[in-house]
Amino acid sequence: MPIKQECQEPLADKIDTNIISLSRFIIEKQKQAKNATGDYSLVLNALGFAFKFIAHTVRRAELIHLTGLFGTSNATGDQQKKLDVLGDEIFINTMASSNIVKILVSEEQEELIRFETTEGTYAVCCDPIDGSSNIDAGVSVGTIVSLFKITSPPSEPGCEQDVLRSGHDMVAACYALYGASTHLLLTLGDGVNGFTLDTNLGEFILTEPDVRLPTDHPKKIYSVNEGNTCYWDESVKTFFDALKQPQDEDNEPYSARYVGSMVADMHRTVLYGGLYAYPGSSKSRNGKLRLLYEGFPMAFLIEQAGGKAVNDKGERILDLVPTKIHDKTSIWIGSSRDVDKYLKHIGKL
Ligand code: FBP
């Protein structure tokens, strides 16, 4: 007689058989959108594949001799890592094969790339491997993307004007963080959703729906490279000095955290709150970060999650309009409480 096993709990309780994958999430959004052509879904799915491919490659970098320098420099003078070049290649091939992307702006490419497609209706701007200077040390890196819908007719070749537009023209923004696990944070302009890559399923799974920056006592964290202090304007120095003093609200100073990979520092800021900044300085008046594929997408995500993003002058990052594809911007981004402290400090609030 077979042994009857007392089944403690029905299996279904253990395994969520109704998980929402990124592709299902995109399809459901498409169903909600009037007059959807499916193009938007195609480009979003292509981005999802590029992130999975890069995540897989980053994880094996050491094993397949992909660490170290490639021996060339990119458009803004950074020494390129082998992974920068490979991440860039993966992005170019994935966007080209989607047949829906007409132009690509990449941190690793001097000029914008035009794809031979007559159906291309989107422009993608990306930083394929953000924080790559840290990669050989096993520190988290990421990919940052902004997406624009092209206004010129599909038959016309793409041009810089298709992306030299205000940040308000983005139709989506996201970043993938290749850390302990691979996270994807995505906004389509209707809030922010967080996904985690299930490497067994090979799918991004919706794990943090409707992400919002904490408003109830967000962590008092400032994140800036203080190694640049000697190049800062006096007002920047006094602002950070003030954060190191006990604050009115709780008589405690801020804590400092700086990974040196923007995606990692921003992901912590989204989840815990706080302020990330890369101010302008005598070394570089507009700081280091690029507007189209670092400033804009992070500002869109943060604002959609309830935070703020401004430049040194207190101007809203999304209001800015680049004149060149690799334009840089100073940036102060994070919890509204902390960005407002900076705005008050410079007399803009
Ligand atoms: P890239 O690695 O894509 O060039 O990005 C720039 C970046 O590495 C950010 O990720 C990071 O926040 C910042 O530069 C670090 O700069 P610094 O070393 O000057 O603090």
Side-chain angles (χ1 to χ4, degrees):
M1 185 148 82
I3 301 166
K4 190 161 171 333
Q5 254 187 325
E6 285 304 315
C7 197
Q8 306 300 325
E9 292 158 39
L11 267 185
D13 288 353
K14 279 207 174 52
I15 296 179
D16 177 355
T17 56
N18 192 22
I19 50 177
I20 299 178
S21 68
L22 178 64
S23 0
R24 175 179 163 188
F25 176 85
I26 293 168
I27 293 300
E28 286 178 9
K29 286 288 177 186
Q30 181 180 320
K31 284 191 209 138
Q32 293 161 13
K34 283 202 203 62
N35 325 327
T37 62
D39 292 358
Y40 194 36
S41 304
L42 278 177
V43 67
L44 292 173
N45 272 308
L47 288 171
F49 175 75
F51 298 144
K52 288 192 265 186
F53 196 167
I54 295 176
H56 177 64
T57 312
V58 164
R59 261 191 226 308
R60 299 165 58 236
E62 203 82 47
L63 304 168
I64 52 177
H65 316 298
L66 267 180
T67 51
L69 291 173
F70 187 75
T72 50
S73 297
N74 68 14
T76 42
D78 305 326
Q79 286 197 304
Q80 289 181 308
K81 292 288 179 104
K82 290 179 188 166
L83 264 169
D84 281 322
V85 175
L86 188 86
D88 185 49
E89 218 176 283
I90 289 172
F91 237 83
I92 293 171
N93 293 335
T94 312
M95 295 304 113
S97 57
S98 75
N99 205 31
I100 207 66
V101 174
K102 185 187 283 191
I103 57 172
L104 174 68
V105 170
S106 166
E107 180 191 323
E108 305 308 331
Q109 299 285 333
E110 185 87 33
E111 306 298 330
L112 97 168
I113 299 173
R114 292 180 181 80
F115 294 122
E116 294 304 320
T117 165
T118 53
E119 284 130 62
T121 51
Y122 286 93
V124 171
C125 304
C126 81
D127 179 356
I129 306 285
D130 171 67
S132 58
S133 55
N134 295 306
I135 198 144
D136 298 355
V139 173
S140 302
V141 294
T143 301
I144 315 174
V145 171
S146 61
L147 183 66
F148 293 85
K149 182 124 179 84
I150 289 184
T151 47
S152 54
S155 55
E156 273 178 36
C159 61
E160 292 204 345
Q161 267 27 65
D162 290 317
V163 290
L164 297 181
R165 300 151 69 177
S166 104
H168 297 287
D169 287 358
M170 282 182 281
V171 290
C174 55
Y175 66 67
L177 171 66
Y178 313 116
S181 52
T182 295
H183 295 277
L184 168 63
L185 212 70
L186 171 69
T187 185
L188 308 178
D190 58 350
V192 177
N193 289 283
F195 300 79
T196 305
L197 180 60
D198 180 326
T199 47
N200 294 330
L201 280 180
E203 284 283 353
F204 279 105
I205 306 301
L206 180 63
T207 45
E208 288 102 10
D210 192 25
V211 174
R212 302 289 296 173
L213 270 85
T215 44
D216 179 17
H217 299 93
K219 282 217 180 334
K220 296 203 337 280
I221 293 173
Y222 71 87
S223 184
V224 70
N225 183 348
E226 293 195 78
N228 292 328
T229 302
C230 61
Y231 305 115
W232 287 345
D233 301 349
E234 214 35 52
S235 124
V236 174
K237 289 179 188 166
T238 51
F239 177 75
F240 285 110
D241 288 347
L243 293 187
K244 295 172 192 168
Q245 308 312 315
Q247 304 294 300
D248 304 346
E249 59 264 32
D250 62 1
N251 204 28
E252 291 289 332
Y254 274 62
S255 194
R257 292 282 183 281
Y258 191 71
V259 177
S261 285
M262 186 187 195
V263 175
D265 283 313
M266 287 306 302
H267 196 62
R268 183 199 57 246
T269 304
V270 170
L271 298 181
Y272 299 169
L275 175 72
Y276 170 90
Y278 208 109
S281 69
S282 56
K283 199 165 70 169
S284 169
R285 201 26 58 207
N286 285 320
K288 176 182 182 181
L289 302 173
R290 285 51 57 121
L291 187 54
L292 269 179
Y293 43 83
E294 288 167 323
F296 273 170
M298 288 300 184
F300 194 14
L301 284 161
I302 278 282
E303 287 205 6
Q304 286 287 317
K308 284 186 177 179
V310 300
N311 64 6
D312 284 346
K313 301 186 203 118
E315 297 162 328
R316 198 175 161 199
I317 295 286
L318 293 182
D319 291 346
L320 304 177
V321 179
T323 56
K324 296 190 296 311
I325 58 173
H326 297 294
D327 268 2
K328 294 180 177 178
T329 183
S330 53
I331 191 164
W332 300 75
I333 183 169
S335 302
S336 300
R337 172 200 62 190
D338 304 323
V339 176
D340 285 351
K341 277 189 182 176
Y342 174 70
L343 291 171
K344 282 192 192 103
H345 181 76
I346 60 169
K348 290 289 167 115
L349 204 59

